[in-house]
Amino acid sequence: MAQKNLKKKAIFITIEGLEGSGKSSVIGFLEDLIKAKGFSAVVFREPGSTAVGEKIREILLDKKNKKLSCHTELLLYLAARTQLIEEKLVSAFKKYDFVICDRFFDSTLVYQGYALGLGRIVDRAVKIFSLGIIPDLTIVLDVEAKDGLKRIKNKDRIESRPIDFHNKLRKGYLALAKKYPERIKVIDAQTELAQIYERTEKILMNKFNFIRLRS
Ligand code: TMP
């Protein structure tokens, strides 16, 4: 798909973080806040939010798939993303004021690129298969890996990886945030929910001033 087809009116926000970092609550809060201000919003998740993407998600998270290779894993995440972009995101960008995505390419950079160690190949592949889409704002919910994992009862294939993998994820996210300070904002997600929401609202208002003007 040519990049010129990607004209968008929407603001694209992605939420990232370790396992058990509380992405769902923050996304719910963000969606309600944006709608309460009179803007339209839609939420997607990655991998998923399309019929094909949800099937790919099942393969990726199924603990029985012990032989899934690192490169196959990478390709499946990219496939689910490309499907979401072409099937849903491109039209959503034209229709809604805000598009919110539970994870996007930063997950691939951190999980497959950094923690799995696929490195450069991931950088290149992510660039190609994100079809020119870059989030306007990315919020990283920062928790200690072991504390996030404690919150999860039935661990899936990725969550069941050794603690070293999860510790690397945290390092990876913080390094990315340092590299792209304008786009990526980190929130301490190990504090009270009210404080996390307050910080989320502040980040949103500071970044997109026009939202303040709506009562
Ligand atoms: P979650 O969105 O419910 O957290 O589940 C998605 C899982 O897939 C999570 O463990 C993070 C992982 N993931 C990757 O490893 N690479 C990716 O590119 C994406 C989008 C997710």
Side-chain angles (χ1 to χ4, degrees):
M1 188 191 305
Q3 229 166 298
K4 61 177 161 25
N5 293 338
L6 288 172
K7 259 190 216 151
K8 64 184 183 74
K9 79 159 187 173
I11 285 171
F12 184 34
I13 301 176
T14 58
I15 310 295
E16 297 277 351
L18 272 66
E19 317 296 340
S21 58
K23 287 183 286 110
S24 308
S25 323
V26 170
I27 288 169
F29 169 77
L30 205 54
E31 187 184 10
D32 290 348
L33 177 69
I34 286 167
K35 286 183 175 169
K37 292 279 181 188
F39 296 101
S40 60
V42 64
V43 176
F44 298 111
R45 73 166 176 178
E46 268 235 57
S49 292
T50 65
V52 168
E54 291 295 334
K55 282 190 178 166
I56 294 175
R57 181 183 179 93
E58 276 176 34
I59 298 172
L60 281 163
L61 301 187
D62 187 347
K63 268 202 276 197
K64 286 194 246 86
N65 291 330
K66 288 194 168 59
K67 289 188 178 169
L68 199 73
S69 83
C70 293
H71 289 104
T72 307
E73 176 176 313
L74 168 65
L75 290 168
L76 288 175
Y77 278 114
L78 296 175
R81 177 162 315 127
T82 311
Q83 186 65 34
L84 176 65
I85 291 173
E86 294 186 339
E87 189 181 325
K88 302 247 171 108
L89 275 188
V90 171
S91 56
F93 283 156
K94 290 178 186 144
K95 191 169 164 195
Y96 293 91
D97 299 315
F98 286 84
V99 173
I100 302 167
C101 204
D102 182 342
R103 301 191 181 278
F104 199 61
F105 65 50
D106 294 302
S107 282
T108 320
L109 295 176
V110 169
Y111 278 72
Q112 283 68 48
Y114 187 71
L116 269 189
L118 297 184
R120 278 271 171 86
I121 191 178
V122 175
D123 295 343
R124 272 184 284 155
V126 158
K127 225 179 203 167
I128 296 167
F129 292 104
S130 302
L131 308 178
I133 296 172
I134 298 173
D136 298 294
L137 168 67
T138 298
I139 293 176
V140 171
L141 299 175
D142 181 45
V143 291
E144 281 251 14
K146 64 171 175 24
D147 296 330
L149 287 169
K150 265 190 223 154
R151 297 180 184 167
I152 298 162
K153 281 194 191 121
N154 295 313
K155 294 192 173 57
D156 62 33
R157 195 180 65 87
I158 308 276
E159 288 158 352
S160 308
R161 285 184 170 150
I163 188 71
D164 283 1
F165 175 84
H166 297 281
N167 286 331
K168 272 191 190 166
L169 294 177
R170 188 175 188 206
K171 264 194 177 170
Y173 272 125
L174 296 178
L176 264 189
K178 226 177 180 180
K179 194 167 171 192
Y180 303 105
E182 276 307 304
R183 175 174 69 85
I184 304 180
K185 306 292 176 195
V186 179
I187 293 182
D188 174 3
Q190 267 180 297
T191 169
E192 293 198 355
L193 209 50
Q195 250 173 291
I196 298 172
Y197 289 166
E198 196 181 306
R199 178 103 171 85
T200 305
E201 184 167 350
K202 239 185 212 158
I203 288 172
L204 190 78
M205 300 297 178
N206 285 344
K207 182 93 183 169
F208 310 112
N209 239 321
F210 64 89
I211 303 177
R212 277 178 207 275
L213 305 174
R214 293 267 179 112
S215 54

